[in-house]
Structure formats: structure tokens, C-alpha cells
């Protein structure tokens, strides 16, 4: 028996060593999460306007056109509870404004219950959060296909390719103008993904989590004399027309209650139906392209000054 155990250990050691080395190399490849964490570790004390949120902000706010020292810390599928965790992690010595999304999906969506919940591992690995107990969510190589990880390592370590699709200030650059997509078609597809059974236990739980997160963000702001801006990003007319009015009203009621309770701290910038944006400003039904992002950034930053 001892000999068998010894043989098993001899066999397992090189396998474990290879896996550990592969994981180390995979985590060493720069990505949007590690870059954002590195930037905030070094520069959070200089940030005046912090943009948080999901892909609407990630592709909608370009700090290169900002009038303040701004940073876009949002990302695809980033829910409000994760925004609150990011806000809590760093030191904000010069922070004046926190901008968070007030969108159709905001209150009923969390990354942990989403189709792309595999992204949780990025917050655990690169922001050093501790979300959940699933060991897979603390590794790169066991998330997704192993051959894809090998391709990433080949691209970075051998081909010297850097596949970063965001600017140094956190803006997502993938959605360029002109869009190759049908805006009306993608609007209908997006609204289908974003409309939930808001009476179900799962989405009521998400609502509770996000409401608590928003209250904590506002509480932080109130304590530190920082303004909170609720940003309703532009969406296409087709997207807005197909919103479930009960879900939208339930979501906006949370923000409206905070506006009434903290009128000196909270403000709402609502661009959902803004006539300033046309279909040429969108990449798809609910995301701006780079031209639309430039327009939205300038609008928001000018309103901050006023």
C-alpha cells in the first residue's frame, strides 16, 4: 500500500507542478481587470470622478474627453455589488463624484447569477476579492477551455501580442463606429436578455443585494462629502419601447427614494431617451460606439461642472 501511495505521489507531483506553473503564467498575462486594479492601486488618490458600472459605462464613458481627473472602473456585466466592493477597496483622497448606472437591468442583475458568471474569477484573481467558495473561481486554467488558455499564453509569451481592448483610463475600445450590426434587431435581443421574472426568489434576492450596495455607496459618499451621480445611459428607441414598465419603475424607484432622502448628495442624469443620440451613435441596441461615448462623456462632465 505504501509503495502504491508513493507511486501515485511520484506520478502526481509533475502533473501538479505543470498545472501550477501554467496557472502562474496564465495569471501573469495582463488583462483589463489586472490593469484596472494596478491603476487604482497607484492612482486612486488622484481620481476626482470615478465611473463604475456595467458595459453601458465601459463602452459609454471615455475619460480621454473628461474635464476632471476621471477613471472608468466599470466592465462588462459588472453589477452594483461589485461596484461597491471596488469603491471600498481603495483610498480616494481627491474624489468628488461617483457615477454609477441607473439602467433597466441595474437592480435585478448580479454577476453571480448571470450567464457569464465565469467572470467572477477575474475579481477574485485580480482585485483579490473573495467571492464564493467554488475553487474554480480562483483559477484561470480551470475556467473555460484549457486550449484557449494555452493560446493566450502562446500569444503573450511567444508571439508578444498584447490583447488589451481598453484605454489606460479604462474605456472599452472594441465598439467602434460605424457599427456592423442591425440596431433594431440587437435592441430586441438585448431587451429579452435584460427582462427578468422580478417576482422570482432569485431576482428578488438580486434586488436586495443591489439595493444594499447602492445604499452603501451613497453612505460612503455622504460620510466623505462626495457627490453620487445616477447615470441612465442612452439606449436605442427600440430598446426603450420594449422595456417592461414594471421592472423599469421598480428599479428607478430605488434611485428616486435616494434622491429624496439625500438631495445634497445624489443627482440623476437621465439620457435613456435623449434626442441628442441617434442610431449612428450606437454599436448595438443598448451600447454606444466610440463616437457616442465621446458625446456622452462630454455631456456628463459638463453637467458635473454646472
Amino acid at each position: 500500500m505504501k509503495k502504491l501511495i508513493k507511486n501515485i505521489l511520484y506520478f502526481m507531483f509533475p502533473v501538479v507542478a505543470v498545472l501550477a506553473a501554467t496557472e502562474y503564467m496564465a495569471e501573469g498575462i495582463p488583462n483589463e481587470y489586472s490593469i484596472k486594479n494596478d491603476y487604482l492601486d497607484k492612482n486612486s488618490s488622484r481620481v476626482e470622478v470615478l465611473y463604475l458600472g456595467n458595459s453601458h459605462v465601459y463602452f459609454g464613458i471615455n475619460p480621454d474627453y473628461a474635464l476632471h481627473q476621471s477613471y472608468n472602473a466599470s466592465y462588462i456585466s459588472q453589477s452594483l455589488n461589485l461596484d461597491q466592493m471596488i469603491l471600498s477597496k481603495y483610498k480616494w483622497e481627491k474624489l468628488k463624484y461617483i457615477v454609477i448606472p441607473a439602467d433597466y437591468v441595474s437592480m435585478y442583475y448580479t454577476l453571480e447569477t448571470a450567464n457569464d458568471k465565469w467572470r467572477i474569477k477575474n475579481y477574485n484573481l485580480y482585485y483579490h476579492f473573495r467571492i464564493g467558495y467554488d475553487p474554480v473561481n480562483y483559477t484561470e486554467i480551470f475556467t473555460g477551455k484549457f486550449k484557449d488558455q494555452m493560446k493566450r499564453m502562446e500569444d503573450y509569451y511567444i508571439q508578444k501580442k498584447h490583447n488589451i481592448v481598453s484605454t489606460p483610463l479604462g474605456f472599452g475600445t472594441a465598439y467602434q463606429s460605424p457599427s456592423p450590426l442591425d440596431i433594431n434587431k440587437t435592441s430586441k435581443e438585448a431587451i429579452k436578455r435584460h427582462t427578468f421574472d422580478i417576482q422570482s426568489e432569485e431576482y428578488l434576492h438580486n434586488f436586495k443585494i443591489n439595493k444594499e450596495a447602492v445604499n452603501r455607496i451613497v453612505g460612503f459618499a455622504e460620510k466623505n462629502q462626495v457627490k453620487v451621480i445616477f447615470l441612465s445611459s442612452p439606449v436605442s428607441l427600440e430598446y426603450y419601447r420594449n422595456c417592461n414598465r414594471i421592472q423599469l419603475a421598480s428599479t428607478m424607484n430605488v434611485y428616486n427614494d435616494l434622491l429624496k432622502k439625500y438631495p445634497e448628495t445624489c443627482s440623476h442624469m437621465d439620457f435613456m431617451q435623449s434626442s441628442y443620440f441617434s442610431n449612428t451613435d450606437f454599436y448595438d441596441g443598448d451600447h454606444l460606439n466610440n463616437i457616442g461615448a465621446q458625446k456622452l462623456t462630454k455631456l456628463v462632465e459638463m453637467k458635473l461642472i454646472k
Side-chain angles (χ1 to χ4, degrees):
M1 179 61 72
K2 289 183 178 180
K3 186 176 180 179
L4 176 61
I5 294 174
K6 186 181 293 186
N7 288 336
I8 291 173
L9 291 175
Y10 280 141
F11 172 78
M12 289 182 61
F13 179 78
V15 174
V16 172
V18 168
L19 290 175
T22 304
E23 177 67 26
Y24 178 81
M25 293 178 69
E27 290 182 25
I29 301 173
N31 59 64
E32 278 74 15
Y33 298 89
S34 64
I35 287 174
K36 285 177 186 269
N37 179 65
D38 290 345
Y39 181 92
L40 292 174
D41 271 340
K42 297 172 184 175
N43 300 289
S44 63
S45 60
R46 297 170 53 236
V47 173
E48 296 175 322
V49 183
L50 176 66
Y51 291 93
L52 295 166
N54 53 34
S55 55
H56 292 165
V57 181
Y58 178 60
F59 294 113
I61 294 292
N62 186 348
D64 288 344
Y65 298 101
L67 303 174
H68 302 80
Q69 182 69 42
S70 301
Y71 188 73
N72 188 335
S74 65
Y75 201 63
I76 299 166
S77 299
Q78 186 168 290
S79 45
L80 287 165
N81 59 323
L82 295 171
D83 291 336
Q84 190 270 323
M85 293 172 74
I86 290 172
L87 179 66
S88 298
K89 181 179 178 184
Y90 305 96
K91 296 180 179 179
W92 310 98
E93 296 175 7
K94 295 184 179 180
L95 192 61
K96 298 177 181 178
Y97 303 97
I98 303 166
V99 182
I100 60 173
D103 295 326
Y104 180 59
V105 298
S106 295
M107 282 298 137
Y108 290 98
Y109 175 89
T110 64
L111 183 57
E112 294 93 318
T113 59
N115 290 333
D116 51 352
K117 60 186 176 182
W118 58 266
R119 295 181 187 275
I120 292 171
K121 57 97 176 174
N122 294 311
Y123 294 91
N124 288 336
L125 292 176
Y126 305 111
Y127 280 105
H128 310 297
F129 296 159
R130 293 291 178 266
I131 302 172
Y133 300 101
D134 187 346
V136 172
N137 287 332
Y138 293 84
T139 67
E140 276 283 3
I141 61 174
F142 294 117
T143 305
K145 297 179 180 178
F146 189 76
K147 67 176 183 179
D148 292 340
Q149 293 291 353
M150 299 305 293
K151 182 66 168 63
R152 285 180 65 235
M153 287 188 281
E154 179 187 349
D155 286 347
Y156 181 72
Y157 291 108
I158 299 175
Q159 303 296 333
K160 306 300 180 184
K161 294 179 181 178
H162 297 260
N163 298 316
I164 301 300
V165 289
S166 61
T167 67
L169 294 178
F171 168 66
T173 59
Y175 288 0
Q176 295 292 306
S177 174
S179 173
L181 305 177
D182 182 316
I183 301 302
N184 287 338
K185 180 182 179 182
T186 54
S187 298
K188 293 174 183 177
E189 292 169 349
I191 208 69
K192 187 176 181 180
R193 292 194 306 272
H194 296 165
T195 300
F196 310 119
D197 178 7
I198 62 174
Q199 295 303 320
S200 69
E201 183 178 349
E202 177 181 324
Y203 290 107
L204 287 172
H205 182 63
N206 287 350
F207 183 91
K208 179 181 178 182
I209 289 173
N210 285 319
K211 186 175 180 180
E212 289 176 355
V214 174
N215 276 278
R216 285 177 186 154
I217 291 171
V218 173
F220 171 92
E222 183 85 357
K223 179 180 178 181
N224 292 279
Q225 298 183 317
V226 175
K227 304 295 185 184
V228 178
I229 311 299
F230 304 137
L231 176 62
S232 296
S233 297
V235 293
S236 69
L237 182 59
E238 188 69 24
Y239 181 98
Y240 184 77
R241 281 175 177 168
N242 286 282
C243 287
N244 179 286
R245 297 304 171 204
I246 297 175
Q247 178 178 319
L248 182 61
S250 176
T251 294
M252 292 307 168
N253 284 341
V254 174
Y255 298 102
N256 290 334
D257 288 345
L258 289 168
L259 289 167
K260 293 174 184 177
K261 188 174 181 180
Y262 302 100
E264 299 299 318
T265 299
C266 300
S267 302
H268 184 200
M269 294 188 191
D270 187 359
F271 296 103
M272 279 190 77
Q273 303 175 74
S274 174
S275 59
Y276 190 66
F277 297 89
S278 66
N279 276 5
T280 57
D281 295 312
F282 288 93
Y283 183 81
D284 59 23
D286 63 317
H287 295 101
L288 294 171
N289 58 36
N290 60 309
I291 303 300
Q294 179 179 339
K295 292 168 67 173
L296 179 61
T297 305
K298 290 180 177 180
L299 275 174
V300 171
E301 293 273 330
M302 283 297 295
K303 284 180 175 287
L304 292 180
I305 290 177
K306 293 179 182 179

